[in-house]
Amino acid sequence: MEDNYRQQGLRRKLIEEIKSKGIDDQKVLNAIDEVPRHLFMDKAFLEFAYSDKAFPIEAGQTISQPYTVAFQTHLLDVYKGAKVLEVGTGSGYQAAVLEKLGAWVFSIERHKVLYEKTRKLLNKLGYSVNCFYGDGFKGLPPFAPFDRILITCGAPEIPHELLNQLKTGGIMVVPVGAGDVQQMTTILKKGDKDYEIHQSGKFRFVPMLQEKV
Ligand code: SAH
């Protein structure tokens, strides 16, 4: 699958655009530079792969806006070897960015078509993301606890079962809000029932829904 000079050039421009919007985390910007976003997009939108926008993918879902991916990834404070749970595999783009940062990624998707398609794609592109078909509200008990948990869909409230699957000292990033708009929320788990919570602005995500489809 091709990643040509033109696409690489467009990616550099995208990085500049994300920087101009306030992201200065060089590790995150480098990871975004290393992932060919066009390979994760629906063919109909290929030519827009490097515009800073969300686009439709299968099953009525979206590939997140690159700025949002950068913003959430920065908040997550990923490090080499961190065991990360992502809820909402979608196109696989965010998972690929996490892997480029050295994370050991576990990702759950509730749409079977997306799970199957994306698992194959990530594999073909050489990523070793562990993909699961399931309900993200339940997390992945057999693989818990996680150092980091990233939710890439809008959760009606902080998913409590996932807090149980977060290590002490771990961080969860989750857009919280039942309507169209969510508050980006970062939770630091300081102890068993001791959390520090920060909010950092409004975003729009597809909803986090229960039950597999
Ligand atoms: N990280 C993705 C974003 C996809 S949009 C990317 O980079 O492309 C969010 C995804 O979350 C959708 O694919 C949606 O189907 C999925 N989702 C929603 N609720 C879920 C749940 N309870 N468990 C797992 N996935 C869920």
Side-chain angles (χ1 to χ4, degrees), residues 61-64 86-94 108-111 114 134-137 152-153 206-209:
Q61 305 304 313
T62 54
I63 175 169
S64 301
E86 179 197 24
V87 175
T89 315
S91 68
Y93 177 66
Q94 169 76 70
I108 317 181
E109 172 56 55
R110 72 184 274 273
H111 273 286
L114 279 174
D135 173 8
F137 279 103
T152 67
C153 35
V206 295
M208 182 172 181
L209 300 170

Tab-separated table of all heavy atoms in Angstrom, residues 61-64 86-94 108-111 114 134-137 152-153 206-209, ligand 1:
chain	number	residue	atom	x	y	z
A	61	GLN	N	-19.901	5.269	11.249
A	61	GLN	CA	-18.937	5.778	12.229
A	61	GLN	C	-17.980	6.764	11.561
A	61	GLN	O	-18.136	7.068	10.380
A	61	GLN	CB	-18.186	4.602	12.869
A	61	GLN	CG	-19.125	3.570	13.480
A	61	GLN	CD	-20.077	4.194	14.500
A	61	GLN	OE1	-19.679	4.955	15.361
A	61	GLN	NE2	-21.364	3.878	14.371
A	62	THR	N	-16.997	7.260	12.307
A	62	THR	CA	-16.070	8.233	11.719
A	62	THR	C	-14.622	7.920	12.091
A	62	THR	O	-14.353	7.320	13.129
A	62	THR	CB	-16.365	9.676	12.211
A	62	THR	OG1	-16.363	9.671	13.637
A	62	THR	CG2	-17.691	10.189	11.717
A	63	ILE	N	-13.719	8.340	11.220
A	63	ILE	CA	-12.294	8.370	11.580
A	63	ILE	C	-12.108	9.743	12.227
A	63	ILE	O	-12.543	10.759	11.682
A	63	ILE	CB	-11.369	8.166	10.342
A	63	ILE	CG1	-9.881	8.325	10.718
A	63	ILE	CG2	-11.709	9.097	9.187
A	63	ILE	CD1	-8.914	7.864	9.602
A	64	SER	N	-11.528	9.774	13.423
A	64	SER	CA	-11.440	11.029	14.173
A	64	SER	C	-10.602	12.070	13.432
A	64	SER	O	-9.735	11.739	12.621
A	64	SER	CB	-10.799	10.796	15.548
A	64	SER	OG	-11.545	9.867	16.298
A	86	GLU	N	-7.796	0.873	24.104
A	86	GLU	CA	-8.569	1.853	23.343
A	86	GLU	C	-9.991	1.325	23.175
A	86	GLU	O	-10.179	0.172	22.790
A	86	GLU	CB	-7.961	2.073	21.949
A	86	GLU	CG	-8.773	3.081	21.137
A	86	GLU	CD	-8.523	3.074	19.632
A	86	GLU	OE1	-8.079	2.037	19.096
A	86	GLU	OE2	-8.784	4.093	19.003
A	87	VAL	N	-10.976	2.168	23.442
A	87	VAL	CA	-12.368	1.788	23.180
A	87	VAL	C	-12.813	2.500	21.905
A	87	VAL	O	-12.785	3.731	21.832
A	87	VAL	CB	-13.292	2.149	24.362
A	87	VAL	CG1	-14.749	1.851	23.998
A	87	VAL	CG2	-12.901	1.375	25.606
A	88	GLY	N	-13.213	1.718	20.904
A	88	GLY	CA	-13.641	2.287	19.619
A	88	GLY	C	-12.531	2.207	18.589
A	88	GLY	O	-11.918	3.217	18.236
A	89	THR	N	-12.270	0.998	18.084
A	89	THR	CA	-11.180	0.805	17.098
A	89	THR	C	-11.451	1.607	15.832
A	89	THR	O	-10.524	2.201	15.273
A	89	THR	CB	-11.065	-0.698	16.712
A	89	THR	OG1	-11.137	-1.496	17.885
A	89	THR	CG2	-9.780	-0.969	15.956
A	90	GLY	N	-12.704	1.591	15.388
A	90	GLY	CA	-13.092	2.334	14.186
A	90	GLY	C	-12.192	2.000	13.011
A	90	GLY	O	-12.051	0.838	12.622
A	91	SER	N	-11.541	3.018	12.448
A	91	SER	CA	-10.669	2.823	11.288
A	91	SER	C	-9.325	2.212	11.666
A	91	SER	O	-8.585	1.760	10.799
A	91	SER	CB	-10.404	4.180	10.638
A	91	SER	OG	-9.609	4.973	11.521
A	92	GLY	N	-8.953	2.286	12.944
A	92	GLY	CA	-7.640	1.801	13.375
A	92	GLY	C	-6.584	2.897	13.405
A	92	GLY	O	-5.442	2.672	13.837
A	93	TYR	N	-6.952	4.094	12.951
A	93	TYR	CA	-5.960	5.170	12.845
A	93	TYR	C	-5.370	5.555	14.211
A	93	TYR	O	-4.152	5.611	14.388
A	93	TYR	CB	-6.609	6.379	12.160
A	93	TYR	CG	-5.689	7.564	12.065
A	93	TYR	CD1	-4.545	7.509	11.284
A	93	TYR	CD2	-5.959	8.745	12.763
A	93	TYR	CE1	-3.679	8.595	11.202
A	93	TYR	CE2	-5.103	9.831	12.677
A	93	TYR	CZ	-3.975	9.749	11.906
A	93	TYR	OH	-3.121	10.823	11.837
A	94	GLN	N	-6.244	5.784	15.187
A	94	GLN	CA	-5.761	6.166	16.530
A	94	GLN	C	-4.895	5.047	17.139
A	94	GLN	O	-3.870	5.307	17.762
A	94	GLN	CB	-6.965	6.481	17.425
A	94	GLN	CG	-6.643	6.626	18.892
A	94	GLN	CD	-5.970	7.941	19.255
A	94	GLN	OE1	-6.581	9.001	19.226
A	94	GLN	NE2	-4.688	7.877	19.599
A	108	ILE	N	-10.929	-2.268	21.382
A	108	ILE	CA	-12.245	-2.935	21.290
A	108	ILE	C	-13.162	-2.174	20.346
A	108	ILE	O	-13.212	-0.944	20.385
A	108	ILE	CB	-12.998	-2.947	22.646
A	108	ILE	CG1	-12.082	-3.296	23.800
A	108	ILE	CG2	-14.182	-3.896	22.608
A	108	ILE	CD1	-12.822	-3.321	25.139
A	109	GLU	N	-13.927	-2.914	19.552
A	109	GLU	CA	-14.918	-2.304	18.658
A	109	GLU	C	-16.224	-3.092	18.757
A	109	GLU	O	-16.213	-4.317	18.772
A	109	GLU	CB	-14.365	-2.318	17.223
A	109	GLU	CG	-15.343	-1.884	16.145
A	109	GLU	CD	-15.932	-0.497	16.381
A	109	GLU	OE1	-15.178	0.471	16.538
A	109	GLU	OE2	-17.187	-0.389	16.409
A	110	ARG	N	-17.351	-2.354	18.800
A	110	ARG	CA	-18.645	-3.037	18.945
A	110	ARG	C	-19.307	-3.373	17.613
A	110	ARG	O	-20.287	-4.098	17.578
A	110	ARG	CB	-19.612	-2.202	19.795
A	110	ARG	CG	-20.142	-0.969	19.105
A	110	ARG	CD	-21.014	-0.157	20.033
A	110	ARG	NE	-22.397	-0.608	20.048
A	110	ARG	CZ	-23.341	-0.193	19.201
A	110	ARG	NH1	-23.047	0.672	18.259
A	110	ARG	NH2	-24.570	-0.637	19.312
A	111	HIS	N	-18.798	-2.819	16.506
A	111	HIS	CA	-19.345	-3.138	15.181
A	111	HIS	C	-18.524	-4.247	14.549
A	111	HIS	O	-17.341	-4.044	14.248
A	111	HIS	CB	-19.286	-1.908	14.269
A	111	HIS	CG	-20.480	-1.028	14.389
A	111	HIS	ND1	-21.706	-1.368	13.858
A	111	HIS	CD2	-20.639	0.163	14.982
A	111	HIS	CE1	-22.577	-0.417	14.127
A	111	HIS	NE2	-21.960	0.531	14.812
A	114	LEU	N	-16.611	-3.422	11.265
A	114	LEU	CA	-15.411	-2.581	11.475
A	114	LEU	C	-14.303	-3.386	12.127
A	114	LEU	O	-13.134	-3.291	11.750
A	114	LEU	CB	-15.759	-1.375	12.352
A	114	LEU	CG	-16.411	-0.198	11.643
A	114	LEU	CD1	-16.821	0.858	12.663
A	114	LEU	CD2	-15.448	0.416	10.623
A	134	GLY	N	-16.254	-6.463	20.892
A	134	GLY	CA	-16.946	-6.510	22.180
A	134	GLY	C	-17.490	-5.160	22.583
A	134	GLY	O	-17.452	-4.199	21.815
A	135	ASP	N	-17.999	-5.122	23.802
A	135	ASP	CA	-18.579	-3.891	24.343
A	135	ASP	C	-17.563	-3.205	25.245
A	135	ASP	O	-17.215	-3.730	26.302
A	135	ASP	CB	-19.858	-4.255	25.114
A	135	ASP	CG	-20.434	-3.050	25.850
A	135	ASP	OD1	-19.933	-1.918	25.633
A	135	ASP	OD2	-21.376	-3.236	26.630
A	136	GLY	N	-17.119	-2.042	24.808
A	136	GLY	CA	-16.098	-1.297	25.532
A	136	GLY	C	-16.473	-0.931	26.962
A	136	GLY	O	-15.592	-0.720	27.795
A	137	PHE	N	-17.772	-0.841	27.257
A	137	PHE	CA	-18.175	-0.526	28.639
A	137	PHE	C	-17.672	-1.610	29.598
A	137	PHE	O	-17.466	-1.355	30.775
A	137	PHE	CB	-19.706	-0.443	28.759
A	137	PHE	CG	-20.276	0.864	28.303
A	137	PHE	CD1	-20.897	0.972	27.070
A	137	PHE	CD2	-20.200	1.994	29.118
A	137	PHE	CE1	-21.444	2.184	26.651
A	137	PHE	CE2	-20.745	3.206	28.713
A	137	PHE	CZ	-21.361	3.307	27.471
A	152	THR	N	-12.604	6.634	22.488
A	152	THR	CA	-12.673	7.473	21.289
A	152	THR	C	-14.109	7.613	20.788
A	152	THR	O	-14.335	7.854	19.614
A	152	THR	CB	-11.745	6.933	20.166
A	152	THR	OG1	-12.257	5.671	19.701
A	152	THR	CG2	-10.324	6.743	20.652
A	153	CYS	N	-15.067	7.443	21.710
A	153	CYS	CA	-16.473	7.725	21.397
A	153	CYS	C	-17.026	8.480	22.611
A	153	CYS	O	-16.426	8.445	23.690
A	153	CYS	CB	-17.256	6.438	21.118
A	153	CYS	SG	-16.774	5.010	22.084
A	206	VAL	N	-18.844	10.362	17.916
A	206	VAL	CA	-20.002	9.479	17.773
A	206	VAL	C	-20.250	8.861	19.158
A	206	VAL	O	-19.324	8.752	19.958
A	206	VAL	CB	-19.770	8.367	16.705
A	206	VAL	CG1	-19.618	8.961	15.320
A	206	VAL	CG2	-18.563	7.501	17.046
A	207	PRO	N	-21.493	8.481	19.450
A	207	PRO	CA	-21.790	8.032	20.819
A	207	PRO	C	-21.202	6.668	21.164
A	207	PRO	O	-21.050	5.805	20.299
A	207	PRO	CB	-23.321	7.958	20.838
A	207	PRO	CG	-23.735	7.822	19.417
A	207	PRO	CD	-22.688	8.517	18.597
A	208	MET	N	-20.857	6.513	22.457
A	208	MET	CA	-20.471	5.206	22.983
A	208	MET	C	-21.764	4.477	23.327
A	208	MET	O	-22.559	4.966	24.131
A	208	MET	CB	-19.605	5.391	24.225
A	208	MET	CG	-19.116	4.090	24.831
A	208	MET	SD	-17.923	4.438	26.133
A	208	MET	CE	-17.490	2.784	26.648
A	209	LEU	N	-21.993	3.343	22.671
A	209	LEU	CA	-23.251	2.621	22.829
A	209	LEU	C	-23.004	1.218	23.362
A	209	LEU	O	-21.950	0.635	23.094
A	209	LEU	CB	-23.969	2.525	21.470
A	209	LEU	CG	-24.318	3.868	20.824
A	209	LEU	CD1	-24.794	3.658	19.387
A	209	LEU	CD2	-25.366	4.616	21.629
B	1	SAH	N1	-10.450	5.473	17.149
B	1	SAH	C1	-11.246	5.510	15.941
B	1	SAH	C2	-12.461	6.391	16.127
B	1	SAH	C3	-13.675	5.713	15.594
B	1	SAH	S1	-15.204	6.468	16.029
B	1	SAH	C4	-10.423	5.922	14.743
B	1	SAH	O1	-9.285	6.348	14.917
B	1	SAH	O2	-10.899	5.789	13.624
B	1	SAH	C5	-15.616	5.609	17.520
B	1	SAH	C6	-15.813	4.114	17.422
B	1	SAH	O3	-16.285	3.662	18.706
B	1	SAH	C7	-16.849	3.650	16.415
B	1	SAH	O4	-16.263	2.759	15.504
B	1	SAH	C8	-17.921	2.956	17.261
B	1	SAH	O5	-18.516	1.839	16.628
B	1	SAH	C9	-17.125	2.547	18.485
B	1	SAH	N2	-17.898	2.305	19.701
B	1	SAH	C10	-18.993	2.961	20.183
B	1	SAH	N3	-19.413	2.423	21.343
B	1	SAH	C11	-18.579	1.380	21.617
B	1	SAH	C12	-18.503	0.414	22.671
B	1	SAH	N4	-19.371	0.387	23.689
B	1	SAH	N5	-17.507	-0.492	22.617
B	1	SAH	C13	-16.607	-0.511	21.604
B	1	SAH	N6	-16.641	0.365	20.576
B	1	SAH	C14	-17.605	1.305	20.575
